[in-house]
Structure formats: C-alpha cells, structure tokens
Amino acid sequence: RDPSGLLVLFGFRVALSREDPEGAVRWLDAAATAQLSSQWWFQPVDLLRAQADLLAARPLECRRRASAARALLEAELRARPADHRLHAALGVAHALLGGNDDALRSARKSVELMPRSKDAWLYLRNLEDLARVCTMTGRHDEAIGHLETLLELSGEMTPHVIRLDPGFAPLRGHPGLAPLLARWEVRP
C-alpha cells in the first residue's frame, strides 16, 4: 500500500531520468488515482503525465494534460489558498503551458508560504520546484542559484540527481552548472 504515492512518484521520476516516458506513465497507471498527495506534495496525475508527454515530444497531449492539471489546482486553491503544495504544482503547470510570469509567481508563492524558518524540509521541497520552474521558464541563472542552495542544505539533492533529472537538462550548457556540480561532487 502506498497512500501518499511516494513509491509511484519515485518510480515515475526514475523512469523519467532513464528517458523512459512510457515507463513513467506505467507507474502512474498503477497509482489508480487522480492525484498523489502527502505533506510534501500535491501532484495531479495529469501534471505528471504532462511532464512525460513533454519528454516524449507530444506537445498537444502535454498542453491538454497541463491545462487539466491547472484547472484542478486552481479549484483546489480556491478552497485552500495557503496550501504551499498547490502553489508549487501550479507553477509547474503554468510553466508547461508557457505562462512564465504565472509560473514564477506560483512557485515563489510556495516558498513564501513555507519558509525555511517554518519547516526546513518542506522549504527545500518547494525550492526544488522553484528551481525547476526557473529552468523551464528560461531563468537559468536563478535556477542555478536555487540549486546551489539545495546542494548546500539538502541531503536529497546531489550533483548526480541534477545530472539525471530531465527537468534540469536545459541547464547543461549553462556556464555555472559544471563548477557548481564539481564543487558538491562526492569523491571516494
């Protein structure tokens, strides 16, 4: 049993890191739910499928699913406007739809609602989403800055994770990425 969708979400991310969008979708099909939810995240399955569609170069499906996720998230936010998880996910949905200003506003709001002083672990989760949204919206310098903070503070974010995550692939040519990853690389 996986009530929060932790195993599904991790399986989905591993499949994406292997550049296997169909494998990622199989993980979502196994969930048999419309969203994965825990104290750390609220992820509509449509939003995750949209990310798999993006990786598979299916722009129409990506847009359709991101639009459905955005509608669901906006409805949830009307009921719970201070839910940092909803703002983080909405930022990704807006970014997938090309709404850069809305994406950045939503992702930044998630960090504002859950600052490090309130809950350091949840703050890092939201900061990762903000780094992702910055990457998606072409704010690469800002994304690198957030990744640096994540590497300094988080045991979960590592250079290897950043290299494997297709969400950060647009940063691979950025002049600040290689030195940042080299600085935090664990050497045997």
Side-chain angles (χ1 to χ4, degrees), residues 15-38:
L16 284 187
S17 73
R18 292 180 174 162
E19 298 186 17
D20 178 12
E22 302 315 319
V25 168
R26 282 192 298 277
W27 275 98
L28 298 176
D29 289 343
T33 184
Q35 67 265 337
L36 307 177
S37 179
S38 76

Side-chain angles (χ1 to χ4, degrees), residues 115-172:
R116 184 175 171 200
S117 60
K118 188 171 182 179
D119 188 308
W121 200 2
L122 294 177
Y123 161 78
L124 291 171
R125 179 72 198 98
N126 290 331
L127 191 62
E128 181 181 338
D129 284 332
L130 178 55
R132 189 173 308 284
V133 167
C134 288
T135 301
M136 294 170 76
T137 60
R139 309 265 319 205
H140 294 176
D141 290 340
E142 186 177 345
I144 295 289
H146 296 314
L147 289 175
E148 183 169 17
T149 301
L150 286 163
L151 289 166
E152 289 173 0
L153 300 177
S154 171
E156 293 182 23
M157 184 59 69
T158 68
H160 190 64
V161 169
I162 293 167
R163 281 188 198 99
L164 287 175
D165 190 322
F168 296 122
L171 298 176
R172 290 185 184 142

Side-chain angles (χ1 to χ4, degrees), residues 101-113:
D101 291 340
D102 290 333
L104 291 163
R105 189 173 18 265
S106 293
R108 288 179 179 140
K109 183 71 173 177
S110 72
V111 173
E112 175 188 316
L113 288 168

Side-chain angles (χ1 to χ4, degrees), residues 56-128:
R58 295 186 294 251
L60 295 177
E61 292 89 343
C62 176
R63 185 161 190 77
R64 181 178 58 80
R65 288 190 171 111
S67 292
R70 180 183 60 191
L72 180 132
L73 290 162
E74 288 172 343
E76 291 285 337
L77 273 168
R78 282 191 287 281
R80 298 175 294 172
D83 190 326
H84 62 97
R85 305 166 311 151
L86 299 173
H87 288 280
L90 184 58
V92 173
H94 281 305
L96 287 167
L97 293 167
N100 292 358
D101 291 340
D102 290 333
L104 291 163
R105 189 173 18 265
S106 293
R108 288 179 179 140
K109 183 71 173 177
S110 72
V111 173
E112 175 188 316
L113 288 168
M114 190 54 64
R116 184 175 171 200
S117 60
K118 188 171 182 179
D119 188 308
W121 200 2
L122 294 177
Y123 161 78
L124 291 171
R125 179 72 198 98
N126 290 331
L127 191 62
E128 181 181 338

